mmCIF file of all heavy atoms in Angstrom:
data_model
loop_
_atom_site.group_PDB
_atom_site.id
_atom_site.type_symbol
_atom_site.label_atom_id
_atom_site.label_comp_id
_atom_site.label_asym_id
_atom_site.label_seq_id
_atom_site.Cartn_x
_atom_site.Cartn_y
_atom_site.Cartn_z
ATOM 1 N N ALA A 292 -35.218 32.897 22.839
ATOM 2 C CA ALA A 292 -34.058 32.297 22.172
ATOM 3 C C ALA A 292 -32.766 32.617 22.919
ATOM 4 O O ALA A 292 -31.886 31.762 23.059
ATOM 5 C CB ALA A 292 -33.977 32.787 20.727
ATOM 6 N N GLU A 293 -32.646 33.848 23.443
ATOM 7 C CA GLU A 293 -31.456 34.203 24.212
ATOM 8 C C GLU A 293 -31.380 33.404 25.514
ATOM 9 O O GLU A 293 -30.290 32.972 25.906
ATOM 10 C CB GLU A 293 -31.442 35.706 24.495
ATOM 11 C CG GLU A 293 -31.125 36.532 23.262
ATOM 12 C CD GLU A 293 -31.255 38.026 23.492
ATOM 13 O OE1 GLU A 293 -31.916 38.449 24.470
ATOM 14 O OE2 GLU A 293 -30.686 38.780 22.682
ATOM 15 N N ASP A 294 -32.519 33.194 26.164
ATOM 16 C CA ASP A 294 -32.541 32.370 27.381
ATOM 17 C C ASP A 294 -32.122 30.941 27.064
ATOM 18 O O ASP A 294 -31.325 30.336 27.793
ATOM 19 C CB ASP A 294 -33.927 32.379 28.022
ATOM 20 C CG ASP A 294 -34.277 33.719 28.654
ATOM 21 O OD1 ASP A 294 -33.358 34.536 28.877
ATOM 22 O OD2 ASP A 294 -35.477 33.937 28.913
ATOM 23 N N GLU A 295 -32.658 30.380 25.971
ATOM 24 C CA GLU A 295 -32.298 29.014 25.568
ATOM 25 C C GLU A 295 -30.818 28.933 25.232
ATOM 26 O O GLU A 295 -30.149 27.965 25.584
ATOM 27 C CB GLU A 295 -33.141 28.576 24.379
ATOM 28 C CG GLU A 295 -34.584 28.308 24.720
ATOM 29 C CD GLU A 295 -35.423 27.973 23.492
ATOM 30 O OE1 GLU A 295 -34.857 27.758 22.392
ATOM 31 O OE2 GLU A 295 -36.657 27.943 23.626
ATOM 32 N N ARG A 296 -30.298 29.945 24.545
ATOM 33 C CA ARG A 296 -28.874 29.967 24.203
ATOM 34 C C ARG A 296 -28.016 29.970 25.463
ATOM 35 O O ARG A 296 -27.045 29.223 25.573
ATOM 36 C CB ARG A 296 -28.564 31.206 23.371
ATOM 37 C CG ARG A 296 -27.076 31.317 23.012
ATOM 38 C CD ARG A 296 -26.617 32.729 22.780
ATOM 39 N NE ARG A 296 -26.868 33.551 23.949
ATOM 40 C CZ ARG A 296 -27.002 34.868 23.897
ATOM 41 N NH1 ARG A 296 -26.935 35.504 22.760
ATOM 42 N NH2 ARG A 296 -27.213 35.562 25.011
ATOM 43 N N ASP A 297 -28.380 30.811 26.440
ATOM 44 C CA ASP A 297 -27.611 30.883 27.681
ATOM 45 C C ASP A 297 -27.657 29.566 28.447
ATOM 46 O O ASP A 297 -26.648 29.113 28.987
ATOM 47 C CB ASP A 297 -28.109 32.031 28.553
ATOM 48 C CG ASP A 297 -27.821 33.402 27.933
ATOM 49 O OD1 ASP A 297 -26.975 33.479 27.018
ATOM 50 O OD2 ASP A 297 -28.475 34.377 28.357
ATOM 51 N N ASP A 298 -28.834 28.926 28.481
ATOM 52 C CA ASP A 298 -28.949 27.626 29.147
ATOM 53 C C ASP A 298 -28.097 26.580 28.438
ATOM 54 O O ASP A 298 -27.406 25.787 29.083
ATOM 55 C CB ASP A 298 -30.409 27.161 29.183
ATOM 56 C CG ASP A 298 -31.268 27.998 30.117
ATOM 57 O OD1 ASP A 298 -30.703 28.748 30.938
ATOM 58 O OD2 ASP A 298 -32.510 27.910 29.999
ATOM 59 N N LEU A 299 -28.143 26.569 27.114
ATOM 60 C CA LEU A 299 -27.353 25.612 26.340
ATOM 61 C C LEU A 299 -25.863 25.870 26.528
ATOM 62 O O LEU A 299 -25.087 24.947 26.733
ATOM 63 C CB LEU A 299 -27.721 25.690 24.857
ATOM 64 C CG LEU A 299 -26.943 24.763 23.936
ATOM 65 C CD1 LEU A 299 -27.226 23.305 24.291
ATOM 66 C CD2 LEU A 299 -27.284 25.042 22.491
ATOM 67 N N ARG A 300 -25.471 27.137 26.499
ATOM 68 C CA ARG A 300 -24.058 27.479 26.679
ATOM 69 C C ARG A 300 -23.555 26.959 28.017
ATOM 70 O O ARG A 300 -22.483 26.391 28.113
ATOM 71 C CB ARG A 300 -23.880 28.990 26.582
ATOM 72 C CG ARG A 300 -22.424 29.416 26.728
ATOM 73 C CD ARG A 300 -22.268 30.905 26.560
ATOM 74 N NE ARG A 300 -22.466 31.248 25.171
ATOM 75 C CZ ARG A 300 -22.876 32.438 24.750
ATOM 76 N NH1 ARG A 300 -23.144 33.389 25.603
ATOM 77 N NH2 ARG A 300 -23.015 32.669 23.466
ATOM 78 N N GLU A 301 -24.348 27.135 29.071
ATOM 79 C CA GLU A 301 -23.916 26.669 30.390
ATOM 80 C C GLU A 301 -23.867 25.150 30.455
ATOM 81 O O GLU A 301 -22.963 24.574 31.043
ATOM 82 C CB GLU A 301 -24.828 27.218 31.489
ATOM 83 C CG GLU A 301 -24.323 26.828 32.853
ATOM 84 C CD GLU A 301 -24.911 27.675 33.964
ATOM 85 O OE1 GLU A 301 -25.230 28.837 33.732
ATOM 86 O OE2 GLU A 301 -25.042 27.141 35.074
ATOM 87 N N SER A 302 -24.835 24.474 29.815
ATOM 88 C CA SER A 302 -24.838 23.011 29.880
ATOM 89 C C SER A 302 -23.730 22.406 29.029
ATOM 90 O O SER A 302 -23.177 21.369 29.372
ATOM 91 C CB SER A 302 -26.190 22.446 29.465
ATOM 92 O OG SER A 302 -26.425 22.651 28.089
ATOM 93 N N VAL A 303 -23.365 23.056 27.921
ATOM 94 C CA VAL A 303 -22.330 22.519 27.038
ATOM 95 C C VAL A 303 -20.940 23.004 27.450
ATOM 96 O O VAL A 303 -20.004 22.228 27.545
ATOM 97 C CB VAL A 303 -22.615 22.908 25.572
ATOM 98 C CG1 VAL A 303 -21.449 22.538 24.672
ATOM 99 C CG2 VAL A 303 -23.881 22.241 25.090
ATOM 100 N N PHE A 304 -20.812 24.290 27.702
ATOM 101 C CA PHE A 304 -19.503 24.876 27.964
ATOM 102 C C PHE A 304 -19.221 25.077 29.446
ATOM 103 O O PHE A 304 -18.166 25.524 29.820
ATOM 104 C CB PHE A 304 -19.364 26.206 27.232
ATOM 105 C CG PHE A 304 -19.542 26.076 25.754
ATOM 106 C CD1 PHE A 304 -20.519 26.794 25.103
ATOM 107 C CD2 PHE A 304 -18.757 25.219 25.015
ATOM 108 C CE1 PHE A 304 -20.693 26.669 23.742
ATOM 109 C CE2 PHE A 304 -18.927 25.081 23.651
ATOM 110 C CZ PHE A 304 -19.900 25.818 23.013
ATOM 111 N N GLY A 305 -20.182 24.768 30.309
ATOM 112 C CA GLY A 305 -19.983 24.876 31.744
ATOM 113 C C GLY A 305 -20.376 26.230 32.292
ATOM 114 O O GLY A 305 -20.680 27.153 31.542
ATOM 115 N N PRO A 306 -20.351 26.355 33.610
ATOM 116 C CA PRO A 306 -20.790 27.588 34.252
ATOM 117 C C PRO A 306 -19.842 28.750 33.970
ATOM 118 O O PRO A 306 -18.622 28.584 33.955
ATOM 119 C CB PRO A 306 -20.798 27.233 35.739
ATOM 120 C CG PRO A 306 -19.848 26.094 35.860
ATOM 121 C CD PRO A 306 -19.923 25.336 34.559
ATOM 122 N N ALA A 307 -20.406 29.928 33.756
ATOM 123 C CA ALA A 307 -19.601 31.107 33.424
ATOM 124 C C ALA A 307 -18.763 31.602 34.606
ATOM 125 O O ALA A 307 -17.728 32.227 34.410
ATOM 126 C CB ALA A 307 -20.513 32.222 32.924
ATOM 127 N N ASP A 308 -19.177 31.311 35.835
ATOM 128 C CA ASP A 308 -18.473 31.823 37.012
ATOM 129 C C ASP A 308 -17.399 30.869 37.539
ATOM 130 O O ASP A 308 -16.985 30.959 38.676
ATOM 131 C CB ASP A 308 -19.469 32.140 38.127
ATOM 132 C CG ASP A 308 -20.161 30.891 38.659
ATOM 133 O OD1 ASP A 308 -20.156 29.856 37.954
ATOM 134 O OD2 ASP A 308 -20.720 30.949 39.767
ATOM 135 N N THR A 309 -16.907 29.986 36.696
ATOM 136 C CA THR A 309 -15.937 28.983 37.122
ATOM 137 C C THR A 309 -14.523 29.547 37.211
ATOM 138 O O THR A 309 -14.234 30.611 36.662
ATOM 139 C CB THR A 309 -15.944 27.780 36.168
ATOM 140 O OG1 THR A 309 -15.109 26.767 36.718
ATOM 141 C CG2 THR A 309 -15.419 28.149 34.799
ATOM 142 N N ASP A 310 -13.650 28.811 37.890
ATOM 143 C CA ASP A 310 -12.233 29.157 37.943
ATOM 144 C C ASP A 310 -11.395 28.121 37.190
ATOM 145 O O ASP A 310 -10.177 28.136 37.250
ATOM 146 C CB ASP A 310 -11.764 29.261 39.396
ATOM 147 C CG ASP A 310 -11.979 27.967 40.164
ATOM 148 O OD1 ASP A 310 -12.487 26.990 39.583
ATOM 149 O OD2 ASP A 310 -11.647 27.924 41.352
ATOM 150 N N THR A 311 -12.045 27.214 36.490
ATOM 151 C CA THR A 311 -11.360 26.115 35.808
ATOM 152 C C THR A 311 -11.820 26.050 34.357
ATOM 153 O O THR A 311 -12.990 25.840 34.086
ATOM 154 C CB THR A 311 -11.662 24.778 36.517
ATOM 155 O OG1 THR A 311 -11.384 24.929 37.916
ATOM 156 C CG2 THR A 311 -10.829 23.652 35.952
ATOM 157 N N HIS A 312 -10.882 26.253 33.431
ATOM 158 C CA HIS A 312 -11.194 26.265 32.005
ATOM 159 C C HIS A 312 -10.314 25.247 31.282
ATOM 160 O O HIS A 312 -9.115 25.184 31.523
ATOM 161 C CB HIS A 312 -10.936 27.646 31.393
ATOM 162 C CG HIS A 312 -11.618 28.752 32.112
ATOM 163 N ND1 HIS A 312 -12.914 29.101 31.885
ATOM 164 C CD2 HIS A 312 -11.177 29.588 33.084
ATOM 165 C CE1 HIS A 312 -13.244 30.105 32.671
ATOM 166 N NE2 HIS A 312 -12.206 30.419 33.416
ATOM 167 N N ALA A 313 -10.894 24.476 30.388
ATOM 168 C CA ALA A 313 -10.129 23.579 29.531
ATOM 169 C C ALA A 313 -9.955 24.273 28.189
ATOM 170 O O ALA A 313 -10.881 24.907 27.684
ATOM 171 C CB ALA A 313 -10.858 22.253 29.353
ATOM 172 N N ASP A 314 -8.791 24.179 27.623
ATOM 173 C CA ASP A 314 -8.473 24.798 26.341
ATOM 174 C C ASP A 314 -8.791 26.296 26.350
ATOM 175 O O ASP A 314 -9.541 26.792 25.507
ATOM 176 C CB ASP A 314 -9.223 24.078 25.212
ATOM 177 C CG ASP A 314 -8.660 24.409 23.840
ATOM 178 O OD1 ASP A 314 -7.512 24.884 23.765
ATOM 179 O OD2 ASP A 314 -9.372 24.200 22.846
ATOM 180 N N PRO A 315 -8.208 27.055 27.313
ATOM 181 C CA PRO A 315 -8.558 28.467 27.450
ATOM 182 C C PRO A 315 -8.195 29.329 26.252
ATOM 183 O O PRO A 315 -8.767 30.394 26.071
ATOM 184 C CB PRO A 315 -7.786 28.916 28.693
ATOM 185 C CG PRO A 315 -6.660 27.961 28.796
ATOM 186 C CD PRO A 315 -7.169 26.657 28.249
ATOM 187 N N TYR A 316 -7.264 28.872 25.428
ATOM 188 C CA TYR A 316 -6.870 29.659 24.260
ATOM 189 C C TYR A 316 -7.563 29.186 22.989
ATOM 190 O O TYR A 316 -7.321 29.712 21.912
ATOM 191 C CB TYR A 316 -5.350 29.617 24.082
ATOM 192 C CG TYR A 316 -4.623 30.133 25.303
ATOM 193 C CD1 TYR A 316 -3.875 29.289 26.104
ATOM 194 C CD2 TYR A 316 -4.729 31.466 25.673
ATOM 195 C CE1 TYR A 316 -3.215 29.762 27.231
ATOM 196 C CE2 TYR A 316 -4.082 31.942 26.802
ATOM 197 C CZ TYR A 316 -3.329 31.093 27.572
ATOM 198 O OH TYR A 316 -2.698 31.562 28.686
ATOM 199 N N GLY A 317 -8.426 28.199 23.115
ATOM 200 C CA GLY A 317 -9.162 27.705 21.962
ATOM 201 C C GLY A 317 -10.261 28.668 21.550
ATOM 202 O O GLY A 317 -10.570 29.640 22.241
ATOM 203 N N SER A 318 -10.869 28.400 20.417
ATOM 204 C CA SER A 318 -11.922 29.294 19.928
ATOM 205 C C SER A 318 -13.143 29.254 20.836
ATOM 206 O O SER A 318 -13.874 30.232 20.944
ATOM 207 C CB SER A 318 -12.304 28.938 18.497
ATOM 208 O OG SER A 318 -12.781 27.616 18.438
ATOM 209 N N VAL A 319 -13.374 28.119 21.501
ATOM 210 C CA VAL A 319 -14.495 28.000 22.436
ATOM 211 C C VAL A 319 -13.987 27.322 23.702
ATOM 212 O O VAL A 319 -14.020 26.102 23.815
ATOM 213 C CB VAL A 319 -15.654 27.173 21.820
ATOM 214 C CG1 VAL A 319 -16.820 27.105 22.792
ATOM 215 C CG2 VAL A 319 -16.099 27.757 20.498
ATOM 216 N N PRO A 320 -13.488 28.106 24.670
ATOM 217 C CA PRO A 320 -13.015 27.493 25.920
ATOM 218 C C PRO A 320 -14.154 26.747 26.623
ATOM 219 O O PRO A 320 -15.313 27.140 26.540
ATOM 220 C CB PRO A 320 -12.570 28.693 26.755
ATOM 221 C CG PRO A 320 -12.398 29.806 25.796
ATOM 222 C CD PRO A 320 -13.338 29.542 24.669
ATOM 223 N N ILE A 321 -13.810 25.669 27.283
ATOM 224 C CA ILE A 321 -14.801 24.865 27.997
ATOM 225 C C ILE A 321 -14.650 25.140 29.490
ATOM 226 O O ILE A 321 -13.570 24.964 30.053
ATOM 227 C CB ILE A 321 -14.598 23.372 27.694
ATOM 228 C CG1 ILE A 321 -14.775 23.132 26.200
ATOM 229 C CG2 ILE A 321 -15.564 22.524 28.514
ATOM 230 C CD1 ILE A 321 -14.367 21.763 25.743
ATOM 231 N N ASN A 322 -15.718 25.607 30.106
ATOM 232 C CA ASN A 322 -15.703 25.898 31.533
ATOM 233 C C ASN A 322 -16.055 24.638 32.309
ATOM 234 O O ASN A 322 -17.113 24.054 32.099
ATOM 235 C CB ASN A 322 -16.708 27.001 31.865
ATOM 236 C CG ASN A 322 -16.391 28.289 31.151
ATOM 237 O OD1 ASN A 322 -15.241 28.575 30.861
ATOM 238 N ND2 ASN A 322 -17.400 29.069 30.867
ATOM 239 N N LEU A 323 -15.181 24.244 33.209
ATOM 240 C CA LEU A 323 -15.426 23.089 34.063
ATOM 241 C C LEU A 323 -16.018 23.581 35.378
ATOM 242 O O LEU A 323 -15.928 24.763 35.699
ATOM 243 C CB LEU A 323 -14.120 22.337 34.291
ATOM 244 C CG LEU A 323 -13.432 21.840 33.016
ATOM 245 C CD1 LEU A 323 -12.095 21.212 33.346
ATOM 246 C CD2 LEU A 323 -14.313 20.875 32.270
ATOM 247 N N PRO A 324 -16.621 22.709 36.163
ATOM 248 C CA PRO A 324 -17.179 23.154 37.450
ATOM 249 C C PRO A 324 -16.111 23.834 38.308
ATOM 250 O O PRO A 324 -14.937 23.460 38.270
ATOM 251 C CB PRO A 324 -17.661 21.859 38.102
ATOM 252 C CG PRO A 324 -17.896 20.931 36.960
ATOM 253 C CD PRO A 324 -16.868 21.285 35.926
ATOM 254 N N LYS A 325 -16.522 24.830 39.073
ATOM 255 C CA LYS A 325 -15.594 25.569 39.925
ATOM 256 C C LYS A 325 -14.878 24.591 40.859
ATOM 257 O O LYS A 325 -15.501 23.775 41.511
ATOM 258 C CB LYS A 325 -16.365 26.606 40.734
ATOM 259 C CG LYS A 325 -15.492 27.637 41.360
ATOM 260 C CD LYS A 325 -16.323 28.776 41.898
ATOM 261 C CE LYS A 325 -15.402 29.919 42.236
ATOM 262 N NZ LYS A 325 -16.129 31.138 42.504
#
């Protein structure tokens, strides 16, 4: 379940190692491709 959650998080919210974030102060920032 944790693996599935991490995969879903990356597909929905974008890669964690990005330098580009949309709505960074929102409750769930969206990571755009680096």
Side-chain angles (χ1 to χ4, degrees):
E293 287 174 341
D294 289 344
E295 288 176 10
R296 178 207 58 204
D297 293 343
D298 290 345
L299 179 63
R300 181 177 288 154
E301 184 162 330
S302 69
V303 172
F304 302 122
D308 66 341
T309 187
D310 59 0
T311 308
H312 307 276
D314 196 19
Y316 302 112
S318 60
V319 182
I321 299 170
N322 299 331
L323 301 175
K325 195 168 193 168

